[in-house]
Amino acid sequence: MSEPAKNNEPKVTAELAATYGVTADEYKLILELLGREPTFTELGIVSVMWSEHCSYKSSKVWLMKLPTKGPQVICGPGENAGVVDIGDGDAVIFKMESHNHPSFIEPYQGAATGVGGILRDVFTMGARPIANMNALRFGAPDHPKTRHLVSGVVAGIGGYGNCVGVPTVGGETNFHAAYNGNILVNAMTVGVAKADRIFYSAAAGVGNPVVYVGSKTGRDGIHGATMASAEFSEDSEEKRPTVQVGDPFTEKLLIEACLELMATDTIVAIQDMGAAGLTSSSVEMAGKGGLGIELVLDDVPMREEGMTPYEIMLSESQERMLIILKPGSEAQARAIFEKWELDFAVIGHLTDTGRLVIKMHGKTWCDMPIAPVSNASPVYERPWEPTPARDEVPDSVWDTWTLPLGETLEKLVACPDLASKRWIWEQYDSLVGGDTRFMSGQADAAVVRVPGQTKAVAITTDCTPRYCLADPVRGGAQAVAEAWRNLTAVGAKPLAITDNMNFGNPEKPRIMGQFVGAIQGMTEACTALDFPVVSGNVSLYNETNGEAILPTPAIGGVGILPDAMLAVGVAFRNEGDVILAVGETTGHIGQSLFLREILGIEDGPPPPVDLAVEKRNGDFVRGLILDGLVVSSHDVSDGGLLVAIAEMAMAGGVGAHLTGFDGQHAKMLFGEDQGRYVLAVRPDVAAKVEARAKAAGVPLSVLGRTEGTALSGRGGEMISIERLRKANEGWLPGYMAAAE
Amino acid sequence: MKAAVIVFPGSNRERDAVAALEAASGTKPYEVWHRDTELPDVDLIVVPGGFSYGDYLRSGAMAAHSPIMREVKARAGKGVRVLGICNGFQIITEAGLLPGALMRNAGLKFICRTVTMRVENTDSPFTAKYRTGQIVRYPVAHHDGNYWADAETVKRLEGEGRVAFRYVGDLGQADPAHNPNGSVNAIAGIFNETKTVLGMMPHPEDAVCALHGNTDGKPLFDGLVEALS
């Protein structure tokens, strides 16, 4: 192979490479691979492909341990998104991905393009997106940046998702000081496709045309992937130009045009241009196909003048796709994209050389072997240390609890993590498409009907970061178990998960230990619950000035219901229903919200997760729901049993008279033991349900009945629903209004 | 009843409208691309919700000048019923089929929630299946739903019984707290002079079946089918 011509580019040295995040050892490797010094364009390409964000070099050895197989799995990790069989020849395609760093620097565009990127990952595989979800973590409410970030992120998610016409049906939002300098914006898209019409990214067919479609390329987002692979510092504001700008209108056109093209028989392979843009899409597609690729950048649609090969290859301009077409189908494909008023350009072809060759202005700017760049990135087994176990919280803490029960509950439901997020979700179009049965808040998981059918997918996102900090193994298992439980609580059969691993700097053994521990816990839970990982994303270096975020392995879970109308929500619906607790309550108080919000202590171990019990209890609850025996269903998580009941009462406007609590210690009310549900059933089926619990060996206790407009016990009224709602609904709007 | 749903680049509630029309009439409506210049022979034209042209420039402004809109206006002039929902309301208002304008919500934010409305006039095929004064609940999902017209126009709309729906409190009372977007006189939907064109911000098509948990929008489609079949 001839050496690329000496072009008008900066001379590459080890020192220059270091400023692009390439270590001295990695630079040596590049010299060995090429047998010469890389060109500036080549350095740019290798530096992003080997960045943590694109190469998973710190996480790969551990991710390999996650269970990824099962009879329901059509395609596991490694493609743009995971694909799972939902019967009748249909498949559900989904993935969750982070856009943390950009969202901190420019919250509106950062969050918006996060939504756009994850949508493309899903529709590039042939799916029509049917639902968006998001998992958001912000800093402490009293931190000066938090309000601005909440406002911008929510507007960005809404601005993009509403316009593309994919309903945003739920998610979760937490606040914690550990995210003050590094928020988390994790976006998830779920789509459906025919199982025999899935599109993959491996290129095939020497000579086949390489086609660029979508928006034009500009200078935005250059080196975004590299930014996402480094810690933040006070000067991060200066990185604003590396944040991409989204255009949801173009994305909507791109969805429709791609789905129209996919209905023809013209596509060999397709991939979106996400992180590292044209570089990663071309290198990965050719790499997976074991082929070479030659690109002529003069033919790339550009919206700025004088762009260099380096800039074109590294741009992260949004709403672009790369397609390998069957030969001779260019005209048919072009007509579709022209109908949708999108750019369409043949920019190269596949070769048998195994090399990435980039030409422009009649010169060669890059000529590199693809395999090592795409597959043989350095892999690091970073040193790690396990997280020390926390001591149990001594019973003496109870002496410090003086607040009456009603006021305790009122304070809990108004705390930032439990307060209603209505202010957020009312800014999202949760209904477009007309298939939304439940958005989150109405039920433990969102439920969206498969378009044109009876069956529905259930979707949830879950993680309890404070548990993960205290015990990453338990926290990792709990995140998976809670996702499984939330799907179960609406009546869905859990199928598979996508994981979004948000952690600090993996070069610190303590942080790496959190990652390793979470993977271990997740692996245990995924295996025990037959709930494999089919896609995911790793976001490391979530630190600012050396302060790491809480370890946050966000889990996106997907399940299936045979009929959307079988799903049940959390709301109490009738007077006189029997309220039942499923699962054993032992009063585990460590890491509970009660401990943090009422007693001001963030300590102790998180609750143990017994996966066999989890499965037994969940299978029991799901069976009841699918047999039509359950009116209302809610899992018991943050805040414990009494908070769960309060949420059911607030959702339905029906109160509860609780007699099953008397004489018990308050930790039974607010402890966060796992594997539990609260159900409301009609009185005429209560005995039947109790008998089924006994037969299944599931602990079941009668807590009371739905009744009136307040929560009450034998001692009289604890608190009215009106007061609870005022506290629960009031916090977030009040907080946000204080800024305006 | 034969119906056509106009599809613009960026329309996104055309599927909801098609489903509601098909469920009510038993016939799948035509979907007509904005660049077409002719309409099939239909009794009803629906301009659906979404973000035509990304709402760039101004909601509905560009779609109002799409080739198909000339034909939509011509048919409306001949008395063919036209229903504009959400972005469709914005488009047909920009196209001059209805007076006034839809401005940014008073709260400046996108709003998706179920609102309570009072049916103000049942003297049209759109509203014939409701009772005058009936309280109905439809979802809204919009950023630019703040209806505005000059005082004289509003007076005329009110005087001629051309306010179709009005935002009210749960018990039907006038209540500014239940006006989701700041619309003048809490107007949610209006008719043209002949009550053959209806523009409205809320979404009847997303309130037509058990899955939606709300069927308050169904009488609107049933009324059209009954009148136009």
Side-chain angles (χ1 to χ4, degrees), chain A residues 409-463:
Chain A
L409 193 54
E410 186 179 27
K411 194 172 170 188
L412 270 176
V413 299
C415 82
D417 280 349
L418 287 179
S420 166
K421 303 302 183 299
R422 180 188 299 276
W423 185 91
I424 293 175
W425 47 256
E426 280 195 346
Q427 295 186 53
Y428 303 149
D429 187 344
S430 53
L431 302 174
V432 60
D435 288 311
T436 305
R437 168 82 172 111
F438 288 127
M439 53 176 288
S440 65
Q442 297 176 310
D444 281 348
V447 177
V448 180
R449 182 173 58 183
V450 176
Q453 301 196 25
T454 309
K455 64 176 181 268
V457 293
I459 316 160
T460 182
T461 63
D462 293 288
C463 181

Coordinates of all heavy atoms in Angstrom, one line a residue, chain A residues 409-463:
Chain A
L409 N -45.1 10.7 56.3 CA -45.5 10.3 54.9 C -45.6 11.5 54.0 O -45.1 11.4 52.9 CB -46.9 9.6 55.0 CG -47.4 8.8 53.8 CD1 -46.3 7.8 53.4 CD2 -48.7 8.1 54.1
E410 N -46.1 12.5 54.5 CA -46.3 13.8 53.7 C -44.9 14.3 53.3 O -44.7 14.6 52.1 CB -47.0 14.8 54.6 CG -47.3 16.1 53.8 CD -48.0 17.1 54.7 OE1 -47.8 17.1 56.0 OE2 -48.7 18.0 54.2
K411 N -43.9 14.2 54.2 CA -42.6 14.7 53.9 C -41.9 13.7 52.9 O -41.2 14.2 51.9 CB -41.8 14.7 55.2 CG -40.5 15.5 55.0 CD -39.8 15.7 56.4 CE -38.4 16.2 56.2 NZ -37.6 16.3 57.4
L412 N -42.2 12.4 53.0 CA -41.6 11.5 52.1 C -42.1 11.6 50.7 O -41.3 11.7 49.7 CB -41.8 10.0 52.6 CG -40.8 9.4 53.5 CD1 -41.3 8.0 54.0 CD2 -39.5 9.3 52.9
V413 N -43.4 11.7 50.5 CA -43.9 11.8 49.2 C -43.6 13.2 48.5 O -43.7 13.3 47.3 CB -45.4 11.6 49.1 CG1 -45.8 10.2 49.6 CG2 -46.2 12.7 49.8
A414 N -43.1 14.1 49.3 CA -42.7 15.4 48.7 C -41.2 15.5 48.5 O -40.7 16.5 48.0 CB -43.1 16.6 49.6
C415 N -40.4 14.5 48.9 CA -39.0 14.6 48.7 C -38.7 14.5 47.2 O -39.4 13.8 46.5 CB -38.2 13.5 49.5 SG -38.2 11.9 48.8
P416 N -37.6 15.1 46.8 CA -37.3 15.2 45.3 C -37.4 13.8 44.6 O -37.9 13.8 43.5 CB -35.9 15.8 45.3 CG -35.9 16.7 46.5 CD -36.6 15.9 47.6
D417 N -36.9 12.8 45.2 CA -36.9 11.5 44.5 C -38.3 10.9 44.4 O -38.6 10.2 43.4 CB -36.0 10.5 45.2 CG -34.5 10.7 44.8 OD1 -34.3 11.5 43.9 OD2 -33.6 10.1 45.4
L418 N -39.2 11.2 45.3 CA -40.5 10.6 45.3 C -41.6 11.6 44.7 O -42.7 11.2 44.4 CB -41.0 10.1 46.7 CG -40.3 8.9 47.2 CD1 -40.8 8.5 48.6 CD2 -40.5 7.7 46.2
A419 N -41.3 12.9 44.8 CA -42.3 13.9 44.3 C -42.7 13.6 42.9 O -42.0 13.1 42.1 CB -41.7 15.3 44.4
S420 N -44.0 13.9 42.6 CA -44.5 13.7 41.3 C -43.7 14.4 40.2 O -43.3 15.6 40.5 CB -46.0 14.3 41.2 OG -46.4 14.4 39.9
K421 N -43.5 13.8 39.1 CA -42.7 14.4 38.0 C -43.6 14.9 36.9 O -43.2 14.9 35.8 CB -41.7 13.3 37.5 CG -40.7 12.8 38.6 CD -39.9 13.9 39.3 CE -38.9 13.4 40.3 NZ -39.4 12.6 41.4
R422 N -44.9 15.2 37.3 CA -45.8 15.7 36.3 C -45.3 16.9 35.5 O -45.5 16.9 34.3 CB -47.1 16.1 37.0 CG -48.2 16.6 36.1 CD -49.4 17.2 36.9 NE -50.0 16.2 37.7 CZ -51.0 15.3 37.3 NH1 -51.4 15.3 36.1 NH2 -51.5 14.4 38.1
W423 N -44.6 17.7 36.2 CA -44.0 18.9 35.6 C -43.2 18.5 34.4 O -43.1 19.2 33.4 CB -43.2 19.8 36.6 CG -42.7 21.0 36.0 CD1 -43.3 22.3 36.1 CD2 -41.5 21.3 35.3 NE1 -42.5 23.2 35.4 CE2 -41.4 22.6 35.0 CE3 -40.4 20.4 34.9 CZ2 -40.3 23.2 34.3 CZ3 -39.3 21.0 34.2 CH2 -39.3 22.3 33.9
I424 N -42.5 17.4 34.5 CA -41.6 16.8 33.4 C -42.5 16.2 32.4 O -42.4 16.5 31.2 CB -40.6 15.9 34.0 CG1 -39.6 16.6 34.9 CG2 -39.9 15.1 32.9 CD1 -38.6 15.7 35.6
W425 N -43.3 15.2 32.8 CA -43.9 14.3 31.8 C -45.0 15.0 31.0 O -45.4 14.6 29.9 CB -44.2 12.9 32.2 CG -44.9 12.7 33.5 CD1 -44.4 12.2 34.7 CD2 -46.3 12.8 33.8 NE1 -45.3 12.1 35.6 CE2 -46.5 12.4 35.2 CE3 -47.4 13.2 33.1 CZ2 -47.8 12.5 35.8 CZ3 -48.7 13.2 33.7 CH2 -48.8 12.9 35.0
E426 N -45.6 16.1 31.6 CA -46.6 16.8 30.8 C -45.9 17.6 29.6 O -46.6 18.1 28.8 CB -47.4 17.8 31.7 CG -48.5 17.0 32.4 CD -49.5 17.9 33.1 OE1 -49.3 19.2 33.2 OE2 -50.5 17.4 33.5
Q427 N -44.6 17.7 29.6 CA -43.9 18.4 28.5 C -43.6 17.4 27.4 O -43.0 17.7 26.4 CB -42.7 19.1 29.0 CG -43.0 20.2 29.9 CD -41.7 21.0 30.3 OE1 -41.0 21.5 29.4 NE2 -41.4 21.1 31.6
Y428 N -43.9 16.1 27.6 CA -43.7 15.1 26.6 C -45.0 14.6 26.1 O -46.0 14.3 26.8 CB -43.0 13.8 27.3 CG -41.7 14.1 28.0 CD1 -41.4 13.3 29.1 CD2 -40.8 15.0 27.6 CE1 -40.2 13.4 29.7 CE2 -39.6 15.2 28.3 CZ -39.3 14.4 29.3 OH -38.1 14.6 30.0
D429 N -45.1 14.5 24.7 CA -46.3 13.9 24.1 C -46.2 12.4 24.3 O -45.4 11.7 23.7 CB -46.3 14.2 22.6 CG -47.6 13.8 21.9 OD1 -48.3 13.0 22.5 OD2 -47.8 14.2 20.8
S430 N -47.1 11.9 25.3 CA -47.0 10.5 25.6 C -48.1 9.7 24.9 O -48.2 8.5 25.1 CB -47.3 10.4 27.1 OG -48.5 11.0 27.5
L431 N -48.9 10.4 24.0 CA -50.0 9.7 23.4 C -49.9 9.5 21.9 O -50.7 8.7 21.4 CB -51.3 10.6 23.7 CG -51.5 10.8 25.2 CD1 -52.7 11.8 25.4 CD2 -51.9 9.5 25.9
V432 N -49.1 10.3 21.2 CA -49.0 10.2 19.8 C -48.9 8.7 19.3 O -48.1 8.0 19.9 CB -47.9 11.1 19.2 CG1 -46.6 10.7 19.7 CG2 -48.0 11.1 17.7
G433 N -49.6 8.4 18.3 CA -49.7 7.0 17.8 C -50.9 6.3 18.3 O -51.4 5.4 17.7
G434 N -51.5 6.8 19.4 CA -52.8 6.3 19.8 C -52.7 4.9 20.4 O -53.7 4.2 20.6
D435 N -51.5 4.4 20.8 CA -51.3 3.1 21.3 C -50.9 3.0 22.8 O -50.6 2.0 23.3 CB -50.3 2.3 20.4 CG -50.8 2.0 19.1 OD1 -51.9 1.4 19.0 OD2 -50.1 2.2 18.1
T436 N -50.8 4.2 23.4 CA -50.4 4.2 24.8 C -51.5 3.8 25.7 O -52.6 4.4 25.8 CB -49.9 5.6 25.2 OG1 -48.9 6.1 24.2 CG2 -49.4 5.7 26.6
R437 N -51.3 2.7 26.4 CA -52.2 2.2 27.4 C -51.9 2.9 28.8 O -52.8 3.4 29.4 CB -52.2 0.7 27.5 CG -52.9 0.1 28.7 CD -54.4 -0.1 28.4 NE -55.0 -0.8 29.5 CZ -55.9 -0.3 30.4 NH1 -56.2 1.0 30.3 NH2 -56.4 -1.0 31.3
F438 N -50.7 2.8 29.2 CA -50.2 3.4 30.4 C -48.9 4.1 30.2 O -48.0 3.6 29.5 CB -50.0 2.4 31.5 CG -51.2 1.8 32.1 CD1 -51.3 0.4 32.2 CD2 -52.2 2.6 32.6 CE1 -52.4 -0.2 32.8 CE2 -53.4 2.0 33.2 CZ -53.5 0.6 33.2
M439 N -48.8 5.3 30.7 CA -47.5 5.9 30.8 C -47.0 5.7 32.2 O -47.8 5.4 33.1 CB -47.5 7.4 30.4 CG -48.5 8.2 31.2 SD -48.3 9.9 30.8 CE -46.8 10.3 31.6
S440 N -45.7 5.8 32.4 CA -45.2 5.5 33.8 C -45.8 6.6 34.7 O -46.0 7.7 34.4 CB -43.7 5.5 33.9 OG -43.1 6.7 33.6
G441 N -46.1 6.1 36.0 CA -46.8 7.0 36.9 C -48.2 6.4 37.0 O -48.7 6.3 38.1
Q442 N -48.8 6.1 35.9 CA -50.1 5.4 35.9 C -50.0 3.9 36.3 O -50.9 3.3 36.8 CB -50.8 5.5 34.6 CG -51.1 6.9 34.2 CD -51.7 6.9 32.8 OE1 -51.2 6.4 31.8 NE2 -52.8 7.7 32.6
A443 N -48.8 3.4 36.0 CA -48.5 2.0 36.2 C -47.0 1.8 36.5 O -46.3 2.8 36.2 CB -48.9 1.1 35.0
D444 N -46.6 0.7 37.0 CA -45.2 0.5 37.3 C -44.3 0.5 36.0 O -43.1 0.8 36.1 CB -45.0 -0.7 38.1 CG -45.3 -0.5 39.6 OD1 -45.5 0.7 39.9 OD2 -45.4 -1.5 40.3
A445 N -44.9 0.1 34.9 CA -44.2 0.1 33.6 C -45.1 0.8 32.6 O -46.3 0.7 32.7 CB -43.8 -1.3 33.2
A446 N -44.5 1.5 31.6 CA -45.3 2.0 30.5 C -45.8 0.8 29.7 O -45.1 -0.2 29.6 CB -44.5 2.9 29.7
V447 N -47.1 0.9 29.2 CA -47.6 -0.2 28.4 C -48.1 0.5 27.0 O -48.9 1.4 27.0 CB -48.8 -0.9 29.1 CG1 -49.4 -1.9 28.2 CG2 -48.3 -1.5 30.4
V448 N -47.5 0.0 26.0 CA -47.8 0.5 24.6 C -48.2 -0.7 23.7 O -47.4 -1.6 23.6 CB -46.6 1.3 24.0 CG1 -46.9 1.8 22.6 CG2 -46.1 2.4 25.0
R449 N -49.3 -0.5 23.1 CA -49.8 -1.6 22.2 C -48.9 -1.7 21.0 O -48.5 -0.6 20.5 CB -51.3 -1.3 21.8 CG -51.9 -2.3 20.9 CD -53.4 -2.0 20.8 NE -53.6 -0.6 20.2 CZ -54.7 0.0 20.0 NH1 -55.9 -0.7 20.3 NH2 -54.8 1.2 19.4
V450 N -48.7 -2.9 20.5 CA -48.0 -3.0 19.2 C -49.0 -2.5 18.1 O -50.1 -3.0 18.1 CB -47.7 -4.5 19.0 CG1 -47.0 -4.7 17.6 CG2 -46.7 -5.0 20.1
P451 N -48.6 -1.6 17.3 CA -49.5 -0.9 16.4 C -50.3 -2.0 15.5 O -49.7 -2.9 15.0 CB -48.6 -0.1 15.5 CG -47.5 0.3 16.4 CD -47.3 -0.9 17.2
G452 N -51.6 -1.8 15.5 CA -52.4 -2.7 14.7 C -52.7 -4.1 15.3 O -53.3 -4.9 14.7
Q453 N -52.2 -4.3 16.5 CA -52.4 -5.6 17.2 C -53.1 -5.4 18.6 O -53.3 -4.3 19.0 CB -51.1 -6.3 17.3 CG -50.4 -6.5 16.0 CD -49.3 -7.5 16.1 OE1 -49.3 -8.3 16.9 NE2 -48.3 -7.4 15.2
T454 N -53.3 -6.6 19.2 CA -53.8 -6.6 20.5 C -52.7 -6.5 21.6 O -52.9 -5.9 22.7 CB -54.7 -7.8 20.7 OG1 -55.6 -7.9 19.7 CG2 -55.5 -7.8 22.0
K455 N -51.6 -7.2 21.3 CA -50.6 -7.4 22.3 C -49.8 -6.0 22.6 O -49.9 -5.1 21.7 CB -49.6 -8.5 21.9 CG -48.8 -8.3 20.7 CD -47.8 -9.4 20.5 CE -47.0 -9.3 19.3 NZ -47.5 -9.9 18.1
A456 N -49.2 -6.0 23.7 CA -48.5 -4.8 24.1 C -47.2 -5.0 24.7 O -46.9 -6.1 25.2 CB -49.4 -4.0 25.1
V457 N -46.3 -4.1 24.5 CA -45.0 -4.2 25.2 C -45.0 -3.3 26.5 O -45.7 -2.3 26.5 CB -43.8 -3.8 24.3 CG1 -43.6 -4.7 23.2 CG2 -43.9 -2.3 23.8
A458 N -44.4 -3.8 27.5 CA -44.3 -3.0 28.7 C -42.8 -2.6 28.8 O -41.9 -3.4 28.4 CB -44.7 -3.9 29.9
I459 N -42.6 -1.4 29.3 CA -41.2 -0.8 29.3 C -41.0 -0.1 30.7 O -41.9 0.6 31.2 CB -41.1 0.2 28.2 CG1 -41.7 -0.3 26.9 CG2 -39.6 0.5 28.0 CD1 -41.9 0.8 25.9
T460 N -39.8 -0.3 31.2 CA -39.5 0.4 32.5 C -38.0 0.7 32.4 O -37.2 0.1 31.7 CB -39.8 -0.5 33.7 OG1 -39.5 0.2 34.9 CG2 -39.0 -1.8 33.6
T461 N -37.6 1.7 33.2 CA -36.2 2.0 33.4 C -36.0 2.1 34.9 O -36.8 2.7 35.7 CB -35.7 3.3 32.8 OG1 -36.4 4.4 33.5 CG2 -35.9 3.4 31.3
D462 N -34.9 1.4 35.4 CA -34.7 1.3 36.9 C -33.3 1.3 37.3 O -32.4 0.7 36.6 CB -35.4 0.0 37.4 CG -36.9 0.1 37.3 OD1 -37.5 0.9 38.1 OD2 -37.4 -0.6 36.4
C463 N -33.0 1.9 38.4 CA -31.7 1.8 39.1 C -31.9 2.6 40.4 O -32.5 3.6 40.4 CB -30.6 2.4 38.2 SG -29.0 2.3 39.0

